[in-house]
Amino acid sequence: MIKIDVKGCQSFVDAAKYESYVNKALDAFDTLDSEKGAGNDFLGWKHLPSEVPASMLEDIDNICKDWKSRGVDLVIAIGIGGSYLGAKCVIEALSHNFAKQLKHADAPEVVFAGNNLSEDYLAELMDLAAERNVACIVISKSGTTTEPAVAFRIVKQYIEERYGKQEAAVRIVAITDAKKGALKTLSTQEGYKTFVVPDNVGGRFSVLTPVGLLPIAAAGLDVKGLLAGALEAEKALAVKSATNPAVVYAAIRNLLHSEYGKSTEILVNYNPKLTYVAEWWKQLYGESEGKDGKGIFPASVNNTADLHSMGQFIQEGSRVMFETVLHVEKAQRSVVIGSDDQNLDQLNFLAGKHVEHCNHMAELGTVLAHIDGGVPQIQIALEKIDAFNLGSLLYFFEFACGVSAYTLGVNPFNQPGVEAYKKNMFALLEKPGYEEASKAIKQRL
Ligand code: PA5
């Protein structure tokens, strides 16, 4: 289970005020636990780890085996937002850093589409598809989101032309609503295997449904380990207490924001494999809390690289932020720094030391420097980057997000603001039904 440490905030906050925010977070915990708060029809994610159907895991496994028997070596996963970032973050975190360059892949490469509207991206994706043996997972809860729908039109046509319609039906799997939506209708028509995004699970909380699990399994990664870690977190976080990590996280971040003007939270990592955990976290917290004129702006840095870019601002720029550092206790691999006779780089003092030791000292040095620079520090520690610990971390962030958003006083489970750009885009694209909006928007140009 992950651990949280807020000692790096102590010098910035008043202890009595912290206690009062712990009490607010405990009330918010009750709201989430009793399932009586705003958005309570979207709480299906809470028990996903303990209620995962064995038949669903079997179906996922069978698809992976079937694709393997067909020689599939490229899976195009189409989706955006919550239908993309969970799988992307787990695949990046659990894959070899150079998986694409290594010659001996024992599982297909999973690439993503439908998360942008770039013509070049899609054209280049088709260049890749032409060299590979292709399958596709199309993910859209609503089944009508423009970006994945555009990408799927192109990929579907490509697969049908190349393999024929019958073979396409086993190379395409859809993950969508149980009953409604364009993708559901199409899947029924074409005979695609489908998985359901449960009605009571919103996109950004869906990583432990087939939305995340099928692409993760297709990449050959340990889905059961991920769920086991999430289950451990589900059990641990269900216990109401002032030391529950979700309560502590919700309390400290709301305190820093509401009482001390810290309006930006930077999620910091010291391992490139965690880059997309931050992207997933930004969506989770950004869409869940950023509404009604409220919320902490979620940002991220990838250190030590970003210490040589954003580091200057974080150390000395406007004092609006606090940091949450993802501390990884153990590296999975071992690389020891050697001795050099000439010692021109003057690094012999490090001879015999593990690279991860240097990484930890860089992290500790940065934490202390940033405290000195006026940036409060939260630490979230995980033992290592493996499926179990990652599952635990993802569930922790989801649960803590519910507690934190209720502490802030917003509905964590809606995202009304996402509609505004869509309306404008449809008006500009002259979608049927948007005639009035089209006229109005063109007058603004
Ligand atoms: O968290 C969310 O609900 C959103 O990010 C959605 O996942 C995203 O907009 C994609 O929606 P859909 O799965 O309906 O295509």
Side-chain angles (χ1 to χ4, degrees):
M1 180 54 191
I2 63 94
K3 286 176 265 175
I4 185 161
D5 184 343
V6 296
K7 279 198 293 292
C9 299
Q10 265 166 9
S11 58
F12 297 92
V13 302
D14 174 80
K17 276 193 178 153
Y18 176 66
E19 286 313 312
S20 79
Y21 273 78
V22 168
N23 289 332
K24 284 180 206 269
L26 285 167
D27 289 345
F29 178 97
D30 283 337
T31 308
L32 185 63
D33 189 51
S34 63
E35 309 201 346
K36 291 194 176 128
N40 60 357
D41 42 349
F42 282 99
L43 292 174
W45 57 271
K46 271 175 59 189
H47 302 296
L48 286 173
S50 55
E51 289 171 5
V52 58
S55 61
M56 185 251 287
L57 294 181
E58 238 170 73
D59 285 351
I60 286 178
D61 204 38
N62 286 338
I63 285 166
C64 296
K65 282 185 185 143
D66 179 60
W67 284 350
K68 201 170 180 187
S69 73
R70 288 167 205 277
V72 168
D73 62 4
L74 183 76
V75 175
I76 302 174
I78 297 179
I80 196 166
S83 294
Y84 150 62
L85 282 162
K88 174 77 176 171
C89 102
V90 174
I91 291 171
E92 291 286 316
L94 299 184
S95 298
H96 193 289
N97 274 302
F98 302 99
K100 291 181 196 102
Q101 290 84 9
L102 282 173
K103 294 226 164 71
H104 306 291
D106 44 15
E109 183 182 348
V110 176
V111 294
F112 292 87
N115 54 6
N116 62 65
L117 280 170
S118 161
E119 189 159 345
D120 290 344
Y121 186 92
L122 275 171
E124 289 173 16
L125 177 69
M126 293 300 101
D127 293 343
L128 177 67
E131 292 185 358
R132 307 286 283 273
N133 188 334
V134 183
C136 167
I137 305 168
V138 54
I139 310 168
S140 180
K141 185 172 179 181
S142 62
T144 54
T145 310
T146 309
E147 292 89 335
V150 167
F152 184 53
R153 233 182 217 230
I154 288 154
V155 173
K156 175 180 179 286
Q157 237 160 41
Y158 173 82
I159 292 181
E160 284 176 352
E161 273 164 24
R162 178 164 162 192
Y163 299 103
K165 252 185 141 8
Q166 207 181 340
E167 174 77 6
V170 290
R171 284 176 180 258
I172 297 173
V173 172
I175 306 179
T176 189
D177 188 87
K179 297 186 200 78
K180 56 181 194 307
L183 190 52
K184 177 68 198 164
T185 312
L186 180 78
S187 303
T188 311
Q189 251 174 43
E190 305 282 335
Y192 299 156
K193 170 87 190 147
T194 55
F195 288 88
V196 169
V197 193
D199 274 349
N200 58 358
V201 180
R204 59 190 174 276
F205 289 85
S206 69
V207 60
L208 300 176
T209 71
V211 170
L213 299 181
L214 179 58
I216 293 165
L221 300 170
D222 180 9
V223 160
K224 287 191 177 145
L226 189 79
L227 287 164
L231 178 60
E232 189 194 55
E234 180 187 328
K235 286 182 187 155
L237 297 172
V239 180
K240 184 182 177 185
S241 122
T243 56
N244 178 316
V247 170
V248 172
Y249 186 48
I252 193 71
R253 61 198 298 281
N254 276 286
L255 170 65
L256 289 166
H257 175 224
S258 303
E259 304 288 333
Y260 298 96
K262 302 295 184 188
S263 55
T264 298
E265 177 176 6
I266 306 175
L267 192 71
V268 184
N269 73 71
Y270 284 80
N271 194 310
K273 288 188 175 187
L274 298 180
T275 302
Y276 271 89
V277 169
E279 296 307 312
W280 171 85
W281 169 88
K282 283 195 270 192
Q283 188 209 356
L284 182 65
Y285 281 77
E287 270 191 348
S288 300
E289 294 193 320
K291 55 197 67 157
D292 306 338
K294 297 181 184 175
I296 300 167
F297 184 78
S300 64
V301 291
N302 304 307
N303 287 348
T304 59
D306 285 342
L307 289 172
H308 299 260
S309 59
M310 297 303 288
Q312 169 62 35
F313 192 107
I314 298 169
Q315 189 67 45
E316 295 182 343
S318 51
R319 304 294 71 194
V320 292
M321 77 283 277
F322 62 97
E323 290 184 307
T324 297
V325 180
L326 292 177
H327 172 71
V328 180
E329 284 160 9
K330 279 189 233 154
Q332 300 273 60
R333 304 285 297 271
S334 167
V335 179
V336 174
I337 299 169
S339 171
D340 184 275
D341 286 347
Q342 288 202 69
N343 195 26
L344 288 176
D345 54 11
Q346 300 191 347
L347 281 183
N348 272 353
F349 75 103
L350 289 178
K353 295 253 185 324
H354 284 268
V355 174
E356 200 61 12
H357 171 72
C358 303
N359 200 22
H360 281 158
M361 292 310 107
E363 178 183 325
L364 186 56
T366 307
V367 163
L368 295 172
H370 288 183
I371 289 174
D372 293 344
V375 182
Q377 301 287 308
I378 300 170
Q379 186 196 69
I380 291 172
L382 52 156
E383 192 199 339
K384 54 188 171 184
I385 304 175
D386 65 1
F388 186 89
N389 282 280
L390 191 62
S392 189
L393 180 71
L394 297 183
Y395 188 90
F396 159 74
F397 274 136
E398 289 181 351
F399 193 86
C401 182
V403 178
S404 183
Y406 282 143
T407 307
L408 180 69
V410 298
N411 174 355
F413 306 113
N414 65 2
Q415 53 285 327
V418 179
E419 295 311 309
Y421 100 91
K422 290 185 191 167
K423 279 188 201 137
N424 285 348
M425 177 176 71
F426 291 145
L428 290 163
L429 287 171
E430 300 177 350
K431 184 175 176 171
Y434 283 75
E435 291 75 10
E436 284 309 309
S438 282
K439 265 190 234 151
I441 203 162
K442 281 182 186 156
Q443 275 164 12
R444 289 176 59 189
L445 302 178

